[in-house]
Amino acid sequence: MKIETIFDGYCHVVIDMQRLFAEETAWHAPAMRDILENVIALSRRMPSETLFARFIVPASVDNASGCWKPYYERWSMLTGDHHDPALHDLMGPLRAIAPAEQIFDKPGYSIFSNETLHSRLQKNGVRTIIVSGAETDVCVYSSVLQAIDLGYLVVIATDAVASSDGAAHRAVIDQLAPRMPEQILLLSTEEILSAVDAAPARGTLTKG
C-alpha cells in the first residue's frame, strides 16, 4: 500500500500543546519547545483537518472522582483553585492559528475522554488519525491505543511528539509502537507532509 493512500480520510490531532505543560509548572515538559515548529508545520499544512486537544484539570480536588482523586491530591497545586485557568490555553503560536471550533477539551489522558470526538470523526469519514503533541508516553499513547480499539489507523509524527521523560518517549517510539505495525505508522513530519500533499483534499471537520 502506498503511504499516500492511507491519508484518504484523515485528521490531525494536536494533543495538549498547552501553557500548562510548556511553562514552568509542576508538569513542565521542556521538550515541547523542540517539537513546536513541526507541530505548527503539520497544523498549517492541514488547517481544516487539524483539531487541538486541551487537558482540563478539575476546579478542585473535591471535583475529582475515582482514582483521579488521589492523583489530584498529589498535584493539588495544579487544580483550578490553585492556578491561572489561562494555563489551559494552547501555546501562543498554536493559539494564533487554532480556530475556536477546532479546539476541544478532555478530562482524561486519551483524546476520547471527550465524549463527542469519536462521533465527530465518524461523521466526517475519518479513518486515519495523525497525532502530534505531548506527552508521548501518557496522553499521546493513551490516545493511540484507544483510537486503535475504535478502529482507526494511527500515524505518530515521531519528531512532533515529546515527553518530560526522554527514556519513556524513546520506549514508545522505539519499542511499544513498533509492535503494532498494522495499526500504527511511525513517520516523520516531512514524510507526513509529503503523503498529505498526495492525498485528496478534505473539508473542515464539523462539530460533533
Side-chain angles (χ1 to χ4, degrees):
M1 181 186 297
K2 293 182 178 179
I3 289 179
E4 56 266 24
T5 64
I6 297 167
F7 292 87
D8 179 12
Y10 66 91
C11 79
H12 168 225
V13 182
V14 177
I15 300 175
D16 300 356
M17 291 292 285
Q18 299 164 249
R19 293 178 55 199
L20 182 61
F21 308 105
E23 298 182 10
E24 295 284 347
T25 72
W27 284 344
H28 187 208
M32 289 173 63
R33 293 287 175 184
D34 299 332
I35 65 168
L36 180 59
E37 183 176 341
N38 286 337
V39 174
I40 291 172
L42 291 167
S43 302
R44 287 191 181 279
R45 177 58 188 83
M46 299 177 275
S48 298
E49 298 87 3
T50 296
L51 298 174
F52 300 85
R54 302 190 311 174
F55 182 77
I56 305 298
V57 302
S60 69
V61 172
D62 290 338
N63 289 106
S65 60
C67 64
W68 285 104
K69 193 173 185 69
Y71 178 83
Y72 280 112
E73 286 173 349
R74 177 160 65 106
W75 299 107
S76 61
M77 77 292 293
L78 290 171
T79 55
D81 51 4
H82 286 94
H83 82 271
D84 182 355
L87 288 174
H88 285 138
D89 288 346
L90 298 173
M91 297 172 71
L94 291 171
R95 188 167 66 251
I97 64 173
E101 65 271 16
Q102 289 171 229
I103 298 172
F104 69 95
D105 295 339
K106 61 188 182 71
Y109 297 136
S110 170
I111 56 176
F112 295 102
S113 61
N114 174 286
E115 295 180 353
T116 67
L117 179 62
H118 179 50
S119 61
R120 180 177 183 176
L121 299 182
Q122 292 291 289
K123 184 184 298 183
N124 285 275
V126 171
R127 294 181 292 278
T128 299
I129 299 177
I130 304 163
V131 295
S132 64
E135 294 191 45
T136 313
D137 50 312
V138 187
C139 293
V140 171
Y141 200 55
S142 174
S143 300
V144 167
L145 293 179
Q146 192 166 359
I148 291 170
D149 283 346
L150 290 169
Y152 297 99
L153 175 68
V154 180
V155 178
I156 299 177
T158 56
D159 54 358
V161 292
S163 175
S164 58
D165 186 324
H169 165 83
R170 290 189 296 273
V172 172
I173 300 302
D174 297 338
Q175 299 177 38
L176 298 179
R179 296 186 63 192
M180 307 171 193
E182 300 84 9
Q183 298 166 315
I184 302 175
L185 295 182
L186 296 161
L187 300 176
S188 67
T189 296
E190 183 178 355
E191 289 172 322
I192 292 169
L193 293 177
S194 295
V196 168
D197 285 340
R202 294 182 56 78
T204 302
L205 290 163
T206 62
K207 286 189 176 182

